[in-house]
Amino acid sequence: MKVDRRSFLGLGLGAVAGVAVSPIGMKLTDDSSIWTQNWPWTPVPVDGEVTYENSVCSLCPGSCGLSVRKIDDRPVKIEGLAEHPVNDGGACLHGIAGLQYLYDPARVKTPLKKNGDKFEEISWDDAIALVAGKLADLRKKGSPEKLACIADKEQGSVSGLFQRLLKTFGSPNFYTMPSLESYLEVTATALHGEGMTIGFDLENSDFVLSFGSGIIEGWGSPVNCFKANASRKARHAKLYQIESRLSNTAANADKWIPVKPGTEADLALGMCAVILKNNLFDGGATANFIGGFNKLAIMIQKEYAPSKTAEITGVKASDIEKIATLFAKAKMPVAVFGKGRGDGAQSLKELAAVHTLNCLVGNINKKGGAFVQLKSDYLEFPDESMDTIADAGFAKNKTGRYVNQLVEKVNESSKPVVEALFVYNANPCYSLHDSKSVKQAIGKIPFVVSFSSFLDETAKEADIVLPSHTFLERLEDVPSCAGLAKSVVGLTKPVIEPVFDTKHAGDAVILIAKALEGSIAESFEWETYDECLESVAAGIWDSLSEDGYAIISEGVPFGSVAVNVSFLADNPATVQARGDYELTLIPIDNMRLINAGIAASPFAIKTVSDKVLKGSDIVVEINPLTAKGLKDRGYATLTTPTDTARVMINLNEGMMPGVIGMVEGLGHTFDNKYVSNKGINVNDLIGPVIESGSGLDAAFGIKVKISKA
Amino acid sequence: MSEIENKTENGSTESAGECTTGDTKDDKGLGLGVIFFIVAFVGCFLSGTLLFPKLLYSKKEQPFNFDHALHVGEAGDCESCHSFREDGSFTGIPKLDTCLDCHSEEALGETDDEAVFVEEYVLEEKEVPWYVYSRQPDCVFFSHAAHTQTAGMDCVTCHGHIGESTSLKPYEENRITGYSRDIWGKNIFGIKKHSWDRMKMDDCAECHKKETGHKGYCFQCHK
Ligand code: SF4
C-alpha cells in the first residue's frame, strides 16, 4: 500500500467531515455572536442595589433640586427632583451631565505648587502651611488689605467664610464675578436702597416684556423659566422679546422687536415717556417715587420722545407707543432685564430704565410683577474677633468697586496693589472681558491661590491650587440666586466619596484661618465646614437637612417700596461699544454652553449645533445684507480693537443688519480634550467699557470689521 | 485538438506509466483513502468533542470553597441570602454586608475556608470576588421576581440542586465570550437532561412556550 494523493484527499475530507459533525462549528458561531454583541472592551456597568439621593445643582445659579440614582453607592444618573420648589422634576443638560465633572481630565487631583512654569504636587499640610505663611508675612508688613478674593457670589456659607477670613485678616477686598444676582442687587440698590434685591413673577405675569433676557436660553433659574414659559400659552400670557437677534426666546415669543444693540436703555426710557405722556402710569405707585420723578418725567419727554427714540434704537415710533401701551394696560405686566443668561456685561442705565417701567405701571410687589424685597439672610455667623491690624485694614477703601476695576487697578499700578489673591468658583481669566489683560493682572499678583476643582485658565496662572470637591462630593447650602419670585435655599449633599485628594473649600478656609492663629483663628471656632454650616444655618437646618431645601420667602411680598430715580433723571450717557469699525460684535448665550465659572461638560459640548461650532471652528451669525461677498459656511477674519480671529460664516436673516453674533462659552484652553480648543473665547475679543458712575463693565459688544479669510 | 486537451493528454500520458502497472493498486489506494478518511474523521470529531472544550474553557478556582448545604441548613432557604430588594430587584450573589449579618471577625466554624473568608475579606472589608456560574451576557435582561414571585417557579428549575452541594466546582470561563460554561451547559453538543443543565435563550423560549403558549418577544429580554 502506498500513500498517494487519494489518501491525502481522504485525510482532508475526513478532517472536514469530522470537524463539521463535531460541535466546533456550532459552538464557535454561538460564541462569536455573543462576543460581537458584548465587546469585551465595552465597559459594562456593574449591577447592584439602586438607591436615590437628593441634592442640589450648583452648576449655574438655577439651584435645581436633583435626584441622583446610584448603583451600590456609585452615582450613575442625575435627574431633576420632582416637587422641588425651583424645578419640580426638570433638569437641564448641564445638570444631567453633572457626573462627568467628577472624572474630568482637568481635575486637580491633589494640592499643587507652582515651581517655575510647572506645577508639582504637595501635601495638604504643606499647602496650608505655605498659604498661611505667605499671608502672615503680608500682615507683618502691615498691609493686610493687599489680600483680595474673587468668588462667584456673595451669598452662601462658603462665600461667607471667605468674606470672614478677609475681614478678620484686615482686607475689604472681596469681589464677586458679575452675575444676574449681582445686577439685581445693583439695580435694587440704585432704585430702592441698600440690601434689596429683585425677583420676577414670570409664572403669573400675563405680559412679559423681556429686554434681551434669554428666558428659554439659560436666563435666571433656567428650568424654572422653561416651566413658566411652557405654561404661557395656557395662561394666555404674552412674551415680547426685545433683542438684536432672533434668538430661540425671540422665536418663541409672541412678538420679536429687533433693536440696535446697546440701545435697550433708550428704548425702555422711550416707553417710560409714552406711559407718562399718555397717563398710563399707576397713580398710586407714583406716590412711592421719592426722588427724581419730576425731573425724569421732564427729561424723558424731551430726550426720549417716540420719534427720537426710534432714531436711536431702530424700533419704529408707532411700535414703541403700541408696546408701551400694551404693557401699561396689561393686568400683570413685568419688564425683565439682563441680556442673555443675565450674567454678561450690563449697564446700570439699562437695568434701571427697564425696572423703572415696572415701577411706573405699579406692578412692584403685586402678583405677576416684580418682587422687591430684602436679600434673604438665613445665615447667622457669630461676631468676628478683630485685632487692630484687622480693624485698620478692613476700614480702608476697596481697591476697585467691581472686579473689572480691580483688574484695571492692578494693571495700571507699578507697585503691587494686590499681593495675594484667592479665587474660588470663578474663572476670571476666561469669563471677564479682554481675558489677556486679566491674565496679565493675575500674573502681576505675587501670590495667587486657586480653590478650583479643575486646572482651568485661572488655576493655571495660580501659585498654589487647593483643589475643592465638586458639587457632587460636598455638603453646602445653595441659595437660589436667579431672580426667582421665591427665595429658596437648597442643600447640596455629597453623593460620592471624593474621587481625588480634594477638600471642601470651606474646610480649607477654616484650616488656613486656624494656621494664621490669633484673632483670625478665634473667629473660626468650627473644626469642620460641616459643623460650621449646621451652626450658622441653624435657623433653617431642620428643613434643610430633612427636605433638602428651605423656603425663605414665597408669594407676593407685603408692602410698598420707595423708588428713587434721581440717577436716571440725570440722563447718564448710554455706553457705546469700543472701536471705530462699522459693525458690532455681540456675544450670544446658548443654553448648551456655560460662560461663567465652570466649562460645559463633554456631553453638553457634543450637543452644540454645527451652526455654532463646526469641528474646531467657531461659526458667527451675520445678516446676508451685511455679509457682502462672504459666503455661507466660508471663512472670514474678524478684527476687533483687541484681537483678530478666524471664523466661519453662518448667513442668518435673524441677525440684525450691522451686527455679528458669536457664541459665548467656547475656546477653553485648559487640559480637557473634550472641551478645550474648540472655537474661540468671545471674551478675548471684547474689551471692557466701564460705565461712568456705576463702575460696571457695560461692554455689550465691540466694533469689528470682517473680511474674507 | 485544443490546447487543453493536449495538456490533459500530456498529463495522462505522464501518469500513464504509473497507472498501467497500478491498475490493481487503484483499489488499494481507494481503501487507504477510506482509512485515512475514517482516521481523520474520527480524530477531528473526537478532538472537536473532547479536546476543543478543554481549549475553549479555562478553569478558575473560586476564592475559597463555599458549602451551600451547610448555609441552607443554618439560614433557612435560598432567599435568606439571595434576597430581593424592596424595589423587587434581585441581589444575586450576596455582598459582604449580607454575610456579616451572621458572620463576624470571629469565625463561626473551624474550616480553613472560613478562615480565608475572615482574614482576607471580613478583616480587609473587601467583597469576595466570586465567579458567577449563571451570569448572563449584559445584553440580557432577566427578572428573578417575575419568575419566582409572580410565576411561582422554584430556584432549582434553573439553578439545579446547588443548594444541596457542599463544595463549589471550578468555574469554567469561555475564552471567547468571557461567560461561564454553565450557560451553554456541560455537554458540548448542548444536549440537556434537566431544565437546569443549560441557560441559553432557546431554553428560556422552550419553557416560555410550554408555560405561556408563546416563546416570548425579543424586547422582553433584550431591552
Ligand atoms: S438649570 Fe442650572 S441648576 Fe438647574 S440643572 Fe441646569 S445647570 Fe443645574
Side-chain angles (χ1 to χ4, degrees):
Chain A
M1 278 202 287
K2 203 172 166 201
V3 177
D4 59 10
R5 279 185 298 175
R6 288 184 199 177
S7 315
F8 281 109
L9 198 64
L11 194 69
L13 288 174
V16 170
V19 169
V21 295
S22 83
I24 293 183
M26 150 176 87
K27 186 73 179 96
L28 286 182
T29 311
D30 187 78
D31 285 348
S32 44
S33 72
I34 295 177
W35 182 69
T36 53
Q37 285 168 48
N38 301 273
W39 300 115
W41 54 84
T42 311
V44 175
V46 184
D47 199 11
E49 185 175 7
V50 178
T51 51
Y52 291 87
E53 209 152 332
N54 297 346
S55 188
V56 171
C57 178
S58 55
L59 292 174
C60 89
S63 316
C64 296
L66 298 179
S67 163
V68 183
R69 182 167 181 260
K70 293 165 72 172
I71 306 270
D72 276 356
D73 276 347
R74 195 173 73 99
V76 295
K77 188 168 189 241
I78 295 182
E79 290 164 4
L81 179 61
E83 290 174 28
H84 190 274
V86 173
N87 56 322
D88 188 17
C92 83
L93 81 169
H94 302 296
I96 62 167
L99 292 174
Q100 293 196 329
Y101 291 105
L102 285 172
Y103 313 104
D104 193 292
R107 276 204 72 177
V108 184
K109 300 181 177 69
T110 191
L112 300 176
K113 178 186 159 203
K114 185 77 77 50
N115 192 351
D117 276 351
K118 290 219 169 89
F119 280 112
E120 59 188 37
E121 299 186 350
I122 50 168
S123 70
W124 270 101
D125 286 347
D126 289 351
I128 298 287
L130 210 148
V131 174
K134 288 269 182 192
L135 295 190
D137 290 347
L138 203 56
R139 277 197 126 216
K140 262 189 223 139
K141 282 204 285 185
S143 43
E145 74 285 357
K146 290 191 175 169
L147 167 67
C149 176
I150 302 174
D152 57 333
K153 58 177 188 258
E154 210 172 72
Q155 302 78 4
S157 60
V158 178
S159 179
L161 284 174
F162 275 101
Q163 290 171 57
R164 191 174 176 87
L165 180 63
L166 258 74
K167 185 171 178 186
T168 53
F169 186 79
S171 170
N173 280 308
F174 178 82
Y175 298 87
T176 60
M177 294 293 283
S179 63
L180 178 60
E181 183 66 19
S182 66
Y183 291 126
L184 292 167
E185 283 177 29
V186 167
T187 314
T189 306
L191 294 187
H192 306 294
E194 277 299 327
M196 312 289 275
T197 188
I198 303 169
F200 302 97
D201 192 8
L202 299 184
E203 279 165 46
N204 293 308
S205 171
D206 64 350
F207 192 105
V208 177
L209 184 61
S210 153
F211 283 76
S213 305
I215 306 283
I216 55 168
E217 284 154 301
W219 180 88
S221 181
V223 176
N224 191 277
C225 287
F226 299 156
K227 288 191 177 260
N229 187 60
S231 68
R232 202 180 84 225
K233 292 263 159 21
R235 291 185 285 113
H236 304 291
K238 296 268 180 270
L239 168 66
Y240 276 34
Q241 183 75 1
I242 298 165
E243 197 174 354
S244 331
R245 169 179 175 265
L246 185 64
S247 62
N248 283 348
T249 309
N252 189 267
D254 296 277
K255 193 170 170 70
W256 168 45
I257 304 119
V259 63
K260 284 188 200 159
T263 64
E264 291 86 350
D266 306 298
L267 183 59
L269 289 175
M271 289 183 183
C272 288
V274 174
I275 291 170
L276 283 175
K277 188 170 155 231
N278 299 343
N279 275 336
L280 295 169
F281 57 89
D282 181 293
T286 47
N288 298 325
F289 281 75
I290 52 160
F293 181 70
N294 291 336
K295 194 173 166 194
L296 178 78
I298 297 165
M299 185 278 287
I300 57 179
Q301 293 310 332
K302 196 168 142 230
E303 305 292 338
Y304 294 98
S307 55
K308 217 168 171 181
T309 310
E311 224 170 87
I312 305 171
T313 62
V315 181
K316 278 197 273 176
S318 57
D319 279 349
I320 298 174
E321 296 210 42
K322 205 162 114 196
I323 297 162
T325 310
L326 279 173
F327 178 74
K329 286 192 171 166
K331 251 166 110 189
M332 293 175 281
V334 68
V336 178
F337 54 77
K339 286 197 278 279
R341 282 183 172 263
D343 54 8
Q346 316 275 350
S347 81
L348 181 58
K349 178 176 179 181
E350 179 179 327
L351 303 170
V354 176
H355 190 53
T356 302
L357 279 168
N358 290 323
C359 300
L360 279 179
V361 296
N363 68 358
I364 302 294
N365 293 351
K366 300 255 175 69
K367 190 178 171 191
F371 295 173
V372 178
Q373 50 193 326
L374 285 170
K375 286 192 274 181
S376 70
D377 195 11
Y378 60 91
L379 295 173
E380 270 183 58
F381 279 96
D383 289 341
E384 311 83 0
S385 126
M386 303 278 280
D387 59 12
T388 45
I389 304 175
D391 273 331
F394 189 69
K396 291 196 176 144
N397 286 334
K398 276 177 89 167
T399 305
R401 198 150 147 210
Y402 299 112
V403 66
N404 302 291
Q405 290 165 318
L406 175 77
V407 169
E408 215 175 70
K409 288 261 169 62
V410 171
N411 273 336
E412 274 169 7
S413 166
S414 51
K415 282 184 273 160
V417 283
V418 176
E419 295 214 23
L421 174 73
F422 286 171
V423 185
Y424 173 64
N425 243 356
N427 188 3
C429 289
Y430 176 85
S431 312
L432 291 179
H433 281 156
D434 195 1
S435 14
K436 265 191 219 147
S437 69
V438 180
K439 262 187 208 156
Q440 189 191 327
I442 302 264
K444 276 181 84 174
I445 299 172
F447 188 63
V448 178
V449 184
S450 164
F451 293 79
S452 176
S453 308
F454 312 94
L455 203 57
D456 56 27
E457 285 83 354
T458 308
K460 273 162 78 178
E461 304 298 315
D463 298 283
I464 298 277
V465 187
L466 301 179
S468 297
H469 299 334
T470 64
F471 78 102
L472 294 168
E473 300 165 307
R474 66 180 188 237
L475 187 79
E476 191 178 333
D477 53 319
V478 182
S480 59
C481 298
L484 280 174
K486 53 192 152 199
S487 167
V488 182
V489 182
L491 187 68
T492 277
K493 281 185 250 168
V495 296
I496 185 172
E497 286 292 312
V499 179
F500 300 112
D501 181 22
T502 54
K503 262 193 205 302
H504 198 300
D507 281 321
V509 171
I510 293 174
L511 287 174
I512 294 170
K514 289 200 185 295
L516 283 166
E517 299 174 349
S519 58
I520 304 174
E522 275 166 33
S523 304
F524 289 77
E525 61 203 58
W526 317 278
E527 284 309 312
T528 62
Y529 166 78
D530 293 3
E531 183 195 321
C532 161
L533 177 63
E534 197 176 330
S535 91
V536 297
I540 56 165
W541 186 250
D542 285 349
S543 56
L544 208 53
S545 52
E546 272 162 37
D547 306 331
Y549 60 84
I551 297 178
I552 308 292
S553 68
E554 199 177 21
V556 184
F558 183 72
S560 55
V561 185
V563 188
N564 189 335
V565 283
S566 314
F567 150 76
L568 270 183
D570 291 336
N571 194 18
T574 301
V575 170
Q576 301 298 325
R578 229 166 98 179
D580 302 319
Y581 300 120
E582 207 184 314
L583 307 175
T584 310
L585 173 74
I586 57 163
I588 298 172
D589 280 335
N590 184 309
M591 186 59 215
R592 292 162 198 274
L593 293 166
I594 306 179
N595 180 38
I598 207 162
S601 63
F603 168 73
I605 293 274
K606 274 273 170 216
T607 68
V608 171
S609 144
D610 69 356
K611 292 209 160 169
V612 173
L613 177 71
K614 174 84 180 143
S616 55
D617 293 320
I618 198 159
V619 185
V620 296
E621 294 182 14
I622 180 166
N623 191 296
L625 295 175
T626 316
K628 283 188 214 142
L630 295 173
K631 277 209 199 93
D632 194 34
R633 313 306 277 173
Y635 287 94
T637 304
L638 203 62
T639 310
T640 79
T642 56
D643 216 338
T644 61
R646 183 182 142 92
V647 296
M648 190 183 248
I649 298 291
N650 172 22
L651 294 183
N652 178 4
E653 286 175 356
M655 200 77 207
M656 268 188 98
V659 186
I660 298 176
M662 182 186 277
V663 78
E664 293 201 82
L666 290 174
H668 276 284
T669 52
F670 60 89
D671 193 13
N672 178 346
K673 64 178 175 181
Y674 307 107
V675 170
S676 294
N677 303 318
K678 294 180 190 295
I680 44 181
N681 179 8
V682 69
N683 297 315
D684 290 345
L685 299 175
I686 300 180
V689 179
I690 305 293
E691 183 183 29
S692 67
S694 75
L696 291 174
D697 172 12
F700 58 86
I702 195 157
K703 292 290 181 188
V704 286
K705 69 171 181 185
I706 192 159
S707 54
K708 214 165 162 187
Chain B
M1 220 182 243
S2 76
E3 208 180 322
I4 295 177
E5 280 168 321
N6 263 336
K7 278 189 182 165
T8 321
E9 190 129 281
N10 292 342
S12 2
T13 320
E14 254 174 40
S15 54
E18 289 164 35
C19 286
T20 351
T21 49
D23 268 352
T24 42
K25 278 183 205 162
D26 208 15
D27 287 336
K28 281 183 193 157
L30 185 67
L32 201 60
V34 170
I35 292 170
F36 268 62
F37 177 88
I38 293 171
V39 169
F41 178 83
V42 172
C44 287
F45 176 74
L46 288 180
S47 322
T49 312
L50 303 174
L51 187 63
F52 169 63
K54 296 221 173 339
L55 296 173
L56 183 64
Y57 296 109
S58 68
K59 278 197 180 173
K60 290 181 169 166
E61 290 299 329
Q62 295 283 9
F64 54 88
N65 186 42
F66 183 85
D67 186 338
H68 270 93
L70 176 77
H71 283 83
V72 171
E74 294 291 333
D77 56 9
C78 307
E79 275 197 39
S80 310
C81 301
H82 305 286
S83 56
F84 287 90
R85 300 189 189 97
E86 265 178 38
D87 64 359
S89 62
F90 186 60
T91 53
I93 306 296
K95 289 265 154 75
L96 188 61
D97 269 354
T98 312
C99 305
L100 294 180
D101 284 347
C102 301
H103 286 271
S104 65
E105 291 170 6
E106 298 282 319
L108 292 174
E110 284 166 5
T111 63
D112 290 347
D113 294 309
E114 194 186 1
V116 173
F117 171 59
V118 170
E119 269 163 39
E120 292 183 20
Y121 301 98
V122 178
L123 293 174
E124 300 282 313
E125 294 181 16
K126 250 171 60 186
E127 291 294 338
V128 185
W130 296 113
Y131 291 110
V132 186
Y133 304 107
S134 52
R135 189 163 70 90
Q136 288 285 349
D138 190 46
C139 57
V140 182
F141 171 83
F142 179 84
S143 163
H144 277 87
H147 290 83
T148 62
Q149 297 188 333
T150 313
M153 284 169 73
D154 59 10
C155 311
V156 173
T157 310
C158 300
H159 294 284
H161 295 279
I162 191 157
E164 293 158 25
S165 67
T166 53
S167 63
L168 295 176
K169 60 182 179 185
Y171 176 86
E172 289 182 74
E173 187 183 278
N174 186 313
R175 292 184 203 269
I176 298 173
T177 65
Y179 292 100
S180 159
R181 179 169 187 169
D182 291 31
I183 305 300
W184 176 268
K186 187 79 185 165
N187 187 302
I188 195 72
F189 286 98
I191 297 165
K192 64 174 179 184
K193 282 197 207 135
H194 309 103
S195 56
W196 56 83
D197 283 346
R198 274 168 56 100
M199 284 184 154
K200 293 286 293 174
M201 186 175 74
D202 287 346
D203 305 294
C204 302
E206 183 187 307
C207 186
H208 271 247
K209 174 90 180 151
K210 201 167 106 210
E211 299 296 332
T212 68
H214 193 281
K215 279 175 157 187
Y217 295 101
C218 309
F219 62 81
Q220 278 176 276
C221 310
H222 302 291
K223 305 275 178 193

